[in-house]
Short mmCIF file of all heavy atoms in Angstrom, two decimals:
data_model
loop_
_atom_site.label_atom_id
_atom_site.label_comp_id
_atom_site.label_asym_id
_atom_site.label_seq_id
_atom_site.Cartn_x
_atom_site.Cartn_y
_atom_site.Cartn_z
N ARG A 1 16.11 137.74 84.34
CA ARG A 1 15.13 136.73 83.95
C ARG A 1 15.67 135.93 82.78
O ARG A 1 16.17 136.50 81.80
CB ARG A 1 13.79 137.38 83.57
CG ARG A 1 13.11 138.08 84.73
CD ARG A 1 11.79 138.70 84.29
NE ARG A 1 11.11 139.33 85.40
CZ ARG A 1 10.27 138.71 86.23
NH1 ARG A 1 10.00 137.44 86.03
NH2 ARG A 1 9.71 139.36 87.22
N TYR A 2 15.53 134.61 82.88
CA TYR A 2 16.00 133.72 81.82
C TYR A 2 14.92 132.71 81.48
O TYR A 2 14.08 132.36 82.33
CB TYR A 2 17.27 132.98 82.25
CG TYR A 2 18.43 133.90 82.54
CD1 TYR A 2 18.66 134.39 83.82
CD2 TYR A 2 19.29 134.29 81.52
CE1 TYR A 2 19.72 135.24 84.09
CE2 TYR A 2 20.36 135.13 81.79
CZ TYR A 2 20.57 135.61 83.07
OH TYR A 2 21.61 136.45 83.32
N PHE A 3 14.92 132.28 80.24
CA PHE A 3 14.06 131.18 79.82
C PHE A 3 15.00 130.00 79.57
O PHE A 3 15.85 130.05 78.69
CB PHE A 3 13.30 131.54 78.55
CG PHE A 3 12.25 130.52 78.18
CD1 PHE A 3 11.00 130.54 78.76
CD2 PHE A 3 12.53 129.51 77.26
CE1 PHE A 3 10.03 129.61 78.43
CE2 PHE A 3 11.58 128.56 76.93
CZ PHE A 3 10.32 128.62 77.52
N VAL A 4 14.84 128.96 80.39
CA VAL A 4 15.77 127.83 80.37
C VAL A 4 15.13 126.64 79.66
O VAL A 4 13.99 126.29 79.92
CB VAL A 4 16.20 127.43 81.80
CG1 VAL A 4 17.22 126.30 81.75
CG2 VAL A 4 16.76 128.63 82.54
N GLN A 5 15.89 126.02 78.77
CA GLN A 5 15.45 124.81 78.08
C GLN A 5 16.43 123.69 78.41
O GLN A 5 17.65 123.88 78.34
CB GLN A 5 15.40 125.04 76.57
CG GLN A 5 14.38 126.09 76.15
CD GLN A 5 14.51 126.45 74.69
OE1 GLN A 5 15.57 126.79 74.20
NE2 GLN A 5 13.40 126.39 73.97
N ARG A 6 15.88 122.55 78.80
CA ARG A 6 16.69 121.36 79.09
C ARG A 6 16.31 120.29 78.08
O ARG A 6 15.19 119.79 78.06
CB ARG A 6 16.44 120.87 80.51
CG ARG A 6 17.15 119.57 80.85
CD ARG A 6 16.85 119.14 82.29
NE ARG A 6 17.28 117.76 82.52
CZ ARG A 6 16.48 116.80 82.98
NH1 ARG A 6 15.21 117.07 83.26
NH2 ARG A 6 16.94 115.58 83.13
N ARG A 7 17.27 119.94 77.25
CA ARG A 7 17.02 119.05 76.11
C ARG A 7 17.46 117.63 76.44
O ARG A 7 18.59 117.39 76.85
CB ARG A 7 17.79 119.58 74.91
CG ARG A 7 17.84 118.67 73.73
CD ARG A 7 16.58 118.72 72.90
NE ARG A 7 16.76 117.84 71.78
CZ ARG A 7 17.40 118.17 70.66
NH1 ARG A 7 17.89 119.37 70.53
NH2 ARG A 7 17.54 117.31 69.68
N LEU A 8 16.54 116.67 76.24
CA LEU A 8 16.84 115.25 76.30
C LEU A 8 16.58 114.65 74.92
O LEU A 8 15.96 115.30 74.06
CB LEU A 8 15.98 114.57 77.37
CG LEU A 8 16.23 115.00 78.82
CD1 LEU A 8 15.28 114.29 79.77
CD2 LEU A 8 17.67 114.75 79.22
N PRO A 9 17.00 113.42 74.66
CA PRO A 9 16.84 112.88 73.30
C PRO A 9 15.40 112.85 72.81
O PRO A 9 15.16 113.01 71.61
CB PRO A 9 17.41 111.45 73.43
CG PRO A 9 18.39 111.54 74.54
CD PRO A 9 17.80 112.51 75.52
N ASP A 10 14.42 112.62 73.71
CA ASP A 10 13.05 112.45 73.25
C ASP A 10 12.10 113.54 73.69
O ASP A 10 10.90 113.49 73.41
CB ASP A 10 12.51 111.09 73.72
CG ASP A 10 12.50 110.98 75.24
OD1 ASP A 10 13.18 111.80 75.90
OD2 ASP A 10 11.85 110.07 75.77
N ARG A 11 12.58 114.56 74.40
CA ARG A 11 11.69 115.62 74.84
C ARG A 11 12.49 116.82 75.30
O ARG A 11 13.71 116.75 75.45
CB ARG A 11 10.75 115.14 75.95
CG ARG A 11 11.45 114.68 77.20
CD ARG A 11 10.45 113.92 78.09
NE ARG A 11 11.03 113.49 79.35
CZ ARG A 11 11.78 112.42 79.51
NH1 ARG A 11 12.07 111.66 78.47
NH2 ARG A 11 12.25 112.09 80.69
N LEU A 12 11.76 117.90 75.51
CA LEU A 12 12.37 119.16 75.91
C LEU A 12 11.61 119.70 77.11
O LEU A 12 10.38 119.72 77.12
CB LEU A 12 12.32 120.16 74.75
CG LEU A 12 12.86 121.56 74.99
CD1 LEU A 12 14.38 121.52 75.04
CD2 LEU A 12 12.40 122.51 73.89
N TYR A 13 12.36 120.12 78.13
CA TYR A 13 11.78 120.79 79.29
C TYR A 13 12.01 122.30 79.15
O TYR A 13 13.10 122.72 78.75
CB TYR A 13 12.40 120.30 80.59
CG TYR A 13 12.06 118.88 80.95
CD1 TYR A 13 12.89 117.83 80.58
CD2 TYR A 13 10.91 118.58 81.67
CE1 TYR A 13 12.59 116.52 80.92
CE2 TYR A 13 10.60 117.27 82.02
CZ TYR A 13 11.44 116.25 81.64
OH TYR A 13 11.14 114.96 81.97
N GLU A 14 11.01 123.10 79.53
CA GLU A 14 11.15 124.55 79.45
C GLU A 14 10.62 125.17 80.74
O GLU A 14 9.63 124.70 81.31
CB GLU A 14 10.36 125.11 78.26
CG GLU A 14 10.85 124.64 76.91
CD GLU A 14 10.08 125.24 75.76
OE1 GLU A 14 8.88 125.53 75.94
OE2 GLU A 14 10.67 125.43 74.68
N ALA A 15 11.29 126.24 81.18
CA ALA A 15 10.86 126.92 82.40
C ALA A 15 11.41 128.33 82.44
O ALA A 15 12.57 128.55 82.09
CB ALA A 15 11.32 126.15 83.64
N PRO A 16 10.60 129.30 82.90
CA PRO A 16 11.14 130.64 83.18
C PRO A 16 11.85 130.61 84.53
O PRO A 16 11.39 130.00 85.48
CB PRO A 16 9.88 131.51 83.23
CG PRO A 16 8.79 130.58 83.67
CD PRO A 16 9.15 129.23 83.10
N VAL A 17 12.99 131.26 84.61
CA VAL A 17 13.79 131.26 85.83
C VAL A 17 14.21 132.70 86.13
O VAL A 17 14.67 133.42 85.24
CB VAL A 17 15.04 130.37 85.68
CG1 VAL A 17 15.96 130.52 86.89
CG2 VAL A 17 14.63 128.92 85.50
N VAL A 18 14.04 133.10 87.38
CA VAL A 18 14.51 134.41 87.84
C VAL A 18 15.75 134.18 88.70
O VAL A 18 15.68 133.50 89.73
CB VAL A 18 13.43 135.15 88.65
CG1 VAL A 18 13.97 136.48 89.15
CG2 VAL A 18 12.18 135.37 87.79
N ALA A 19 16.87 134.72 88.27
CA ALA A 19 18.13 134.58 89.01
C ALA A 19 18.45 135.92 89.67
O ALA A 19 18.70 136.91 88.97
CB ALA A 19 19.25 134.16 88.07
N GLY A 20 18.41 135.95 90.99
CA GLY A 20 18.69 137.18 91.73
C GLY A 20 20.15 137.27 92.11
O GLY A 20 20.91 136.31 92.06
N GLY A 21 20.59 138.47 92.51
CA GLY A 21 21.96 138.68 92.92
C GLY A 21 22.35 137.81 94.10
O GLY A 21 21.69 137.81 95.12
N GLU A 22 23.45 137.05 93.94
CA GLU A 22 23.98 136.17 94.97
C GLU A 22 22.96 135.12 95.43
O GLU A 22 23.13 134.49 96.47
CB GLU A 22 24.49 136.97 96.17
CG GLU A 22 25.62 137.92 95.81
CD GLU A 22 26.24 138.56 97.03
OE1 GLU A 22 26.33 137.90 98.07
OE2 GLU A 22 26.62 139.73 96.93
N GLN A 23 21.91 134.96 94.67
CA GLN A 23 20.89 133.96 95.00
C GLN A 23 21.24 132.64 94.32
O GLN A 23 21.62 132.62 93.15
CB GLN A 23 19.51 134.44 94.54
CG GLN A 23 18.41 133.39 94.67
CD GLN A 23 17.12 133.85 94.01
OE1 GLN A 23 17.02 135.00 93.58
NE2 GLN A 23 16.15 132.97 93.92
N SER A 24 21.09 131.55 95.03
CA SER A 24 21.35 130.24 94.45
C SER A 24 20.03 129.64 93.97
O SER A 24 19.06 129.55 94.74
CB SER A 24 22.00 129.32 95.48
OG SER A 24 22.26 128.06 94.92
N VAL A 25 19.99 129.26 92.72
CA VAL A 25 18.79 128.67 92.12
C VAL A 25 19.10 127.25 91.73
O VAL A 25 20.06 126.99 90.98
CB VAL A 25 18.33 129.48 90.88
CG1 VAL A 25 17.12 128.83 90.24
CG2 VAL A 25 18.03 130.92 91.26
N ASP A 26 18.31 126.29 92.22
CA ASP A 26 18.45 124.89 91.84
C ASP A 26 17.39 124.58 90.81
O ASP A 26 16.19 124.65 91.09
CB ASP A 26 18.30 123.98 93.06
CG ASP A 26 18.72 122.54 92.75
OD1 ASP A 26 18.71 122.16 91.56
OD2 ASP A 26 19.06 121.81 93.70
N LEU A 27 17.82 124.22 89.60
CA LEU A 27 16.86 124.02 88.51
C LEU A 27 15.99 122.79 88.70
O LEU A 27 15.00 122.63 87.97
CB LEU A 27 17.59 123.94 87.18
CG LEU A 27 18.24 125.25 86.69
CD1 LEU A 27 18.82 125.07 85.30
CD2 LEU A 27 17.24 126.39 86.70
N THR A 28 16.32 121.91 89.63
CA THR A 28 15.44 120.76 89.87
C THR A 28 14.08 121.22 90.39
O THR A 28 13.09 120.50 90.25
CB THR A 28 16.08 119.79 90.88
OG1 THR A 28 16.37 120.50 92.10
CG2 THR A 28 17.35 119.19 90.32
N ALA A 29 14.03 122.41 90.99
CA ALA A 29 12.77 122.94 91.53
C ALA A 29 12.09 123.91 90.57
O ALA A 29 11.08 124.53 90.94
CB ALA A 29 13.02 123.62 92.87
N ALA A 30 12.61 124.06 89.36
CA ALA A 30 12.02 125.00 88.40
C ALA A 30 10.66 124.49 87.93
O ALA A 30 10.40 123.28 87.88
CB ALA A 30 12.95 125.17 87.21
N PRO A 31 9.75 125.39 87.55
CA PRO A 31 8.40 125.00 87.08
C PRO A 31 8.44 124.50 85.63
O PRO A 31 7.92 125.15 84.71
CB PRO A 31 7.60 126.29 87.21
CG PRO A 31 8.61 127.38 87.00
CD PRO A 31 9.89 126.86 87.62
N TRP A 32 9.00 123.33 85.43
CA TRP A 32 9.21 122.82 84.08
C TRP A 32 7.90 122.47 83.40
O TRP A 32 7.00 121.89 84.01
CB TRP A 32 10.09 121.57 84.11
CG TRP A 32 11.48 121.76 84.60
CD1 TRP A 32 12.00 121.32 85.78
CD2 TRP A 32 12.55 122.42 83.93
NE1 TRP A 32 13.32 121.67 85.89
CE2 TRP A 32 13.70 122.34 84.77
CE3 TRP A 32 12.66 123.07 82.70
CZ2 TRP A 32 14.92 122.89 84.43
CZ3 TRP A 32 13.89 123.61 82.35
CH2 TRP A 32 15.00 123.53 83.20
N SER A 33 7.80 122.80 82.14
CA SER A 33 6.76 122.26 81.27
C SER A 33 7.44 121.37 80.25
O SER A 33 8.60 121.58 79.90
CB SER A 33 5.98 123.38 80.56
OG SER A 33 6.85 124.16 79.75
N VAL A 34 6.72 120.35 79.77
CA VAL A 34 7.34 119.33 78.92
C VAL A 34 6.90 119.53 77.48
O VAL A 34 5.71 119.67 77.20
CB VAL A 34 6.97 117.91 79.39
CG1 VAL A 34 7.63 116.87 78.50
CG2 VAL A 34 7.39 117.71 80.85
N VAL A 35 7.85 119.55 76.59
CA VAL A 35 7.59 119.55 75.15
C VAL A 35 7.89 118.15 74.66
O VAL A 35 9.04 117.69 74.72
CB VAL A 35 8.47 120.59 74.42
CG1 VAL A 35 8.20 120.55 72.92
CG2 VAL A 35 8.21 121.98 74.97
N GLU A 36 6.86 117.42 74.20
CA GLU A 36 7.04 116.03 73.79
C GLU A 36 7.78 115.95 72.46
O GLU A 36 8.00 116.96 71.78
CB GLU A 36 5.68 115.33 73.68
CG GLU A 36 4.95 115.21 75.00
CD GLU A 36 5.65 114.26 75.97
OE1 GLU A 36 6.59 113.56 75.55
OE2 GLU A 36 5.26 114.22 77.14
N LEU A 37 8.12 114.71 72.09
CA LEU A 37 8.94 114.49 70.90
C LEU A 37 8.32 115.09 69.65
O LEU A 37 9.00 115.72 68.85
CB LEU A 37 9.18 112.99 70.71
CG LEU A 37 10.00 112.60 69.48
CD1 LEU A 37 11.37 113.23 69.52
CD2 LEU A 37 10.11 111.09 69.39
N ASP A 38 7.01 114.90 69.48
CA ASP A 38 6.39 115.44 68.27
C ASP A 38 6.44 116.96 68.24
O ASP A 38 6.68 117.57 67.20
CB ASP A 38 4.94 114.95 68.14
CG ASP A 38 4.12 115.27 69.37
OD1 ASP A 38 4.66 115.24 70.48
OD2 ASP A 38 2.92 115.55 69.23
N GLN A 39 6.24 117.60 69.41
CA GLN A 39 6.35 119.04 69.46
C GLN A 39 7.79 119.49 69.23
O GLN A 39 8.05 120.51 68.58
CB GLN A 39 5.86 119.55 70.82
CG GLN A 39 4.38 119.30 71.07
CD GLN A 39 3.99 119.67 72.49
OE1 GLN A 39 4.36 118.98 73.43
NE2 GLN A 39 3.27 120.75 72.63
N LEU A 40 8.73 118.71 69.75
CA LEU A 40 10.14 119.02 69.56
C LEU A 40 10.51 118.94 68.09
O LEU A 40 11.26 119.77 67.58
CB LEU A 40 10.98 118.06 70.39
CG LEU A 40 12.47 118.37 70.55
CD1 LEU A 40 12.66 119.72 71.20
CD2 LEU A 40 13.15 117.29 71.35
N VAL A 41 9.96 117.94 67.39
CA VAL A 41 10.20 117.83 65.96
C VAL A 41 9.67 119.05 65.23
O VAL A 41 10.33 119.63 64.38
CB VAL A 41 9.54 116.54 65.42
CG1 VAL A 41 9.50 116.55 63.89
CG2 VAL A 41 10.29 115.31 65.91
N ARG A 42 8.44 119.46 65.58
CA ARG A 42 7.83 120.60 64.90
C ARG A 42 8.56 121.91 65.19
O ARG A 42 8.52 122.83 64.39
CB ARG A 42 6.36 120.71 65.29
CG ARG A 42 5.51 119.59 64.72
CD ARG A 42 4.03 119.89 64.87
NE ARG A 42 3.55 119.70 66.23
CZ ARG A 42 3.04 118.57 66.70
NH1 ARG A 42 2.99 117.50 65.92
NH2 ARG A 42 2.58 118.50 67.93
N LYS A 43 9.23 121.98 66.35
CA LYS A 43 10.03 123.15 66.66
C LYS A 43 11.34 123.15 65.90
O LYS A 43 12.10 124.12 65.93
CB LYS A 43 10.33 123.19 68.17
CG LYS A 43 9.15 123.59 69.04
CD LYS A 43 9.54 123.46 70.50
CE LYS A 43 8.44 123.93 71.42
NZ LYS A 43 8.37 125.40 71.48
N GLY A 44 11.65 122.04 65.24
CA GLY A 44 12.92 121.93 64.55
C GLY A 44 14.09 121.71 65.48
O GLY A 44 15.24 121.88 65.11
N GLY A 45 13.82 121.26 66.73
CA GLY A 45 14.87 121.12 67.71
C GLY A 45 15.15 119.69 68.10
O GLY A 45 15.86 119.44 69.06
N GLY A 46 14.59 118.73 67.42
CA GLY A 46 14.79 117.33 67.79
C GLY A 46 15.10 116.50 66.57
O GLY A 46 15.56 117.00 65.55
N PRO A 47 14.82 115.18 66.65
CA PRO A 47 14.99 114.33 65.47
C PRO A 47 14.12 114.82 64.31
O PRO A 47 13.21 115.63 64.51
CB PRO A 47 14.53 112.96 65.98
CG PRO A 47 14.64 113.04 67.47
CD PRO A 47 14.36 114.45 67.83
#
């Protein structure tokens, strides 16, 4: 089990991902939640 974060300049995507043995996982289908710029700032991970 992994917690994946995808960082863009103005926001952050987050999703839990389960990677199984020899299983191919395409992150485009991950259940992403969006962290907006203000939340990203408060997390200390953005501008």
Side-chain angles (χ1 to χ4, degrees):
R1 295 180 178 272
Y2 298 92
F3 188 83
V4 183
Q5 297 171 307
R6 175 180 167 235
R7 170 80 178 278
L8 295 178
D10 61 344
R11 61 194 183 279
L12 177 74
Y13 291 94
E14 297 182 330
V17 173
V18 178
E22 299 188 35
Q23 172 188 353
S24 181
V25 178
D26 192 337
L27 291 185
T28 57
W32 296 109
S33 60
V34 181
V35 179
E36 296 292 350
L37 178 60
D38 55 325
Q39 295 173 289
L40 191 59
V41 167
R42 290 192 284 268
K43 286 174 176 283

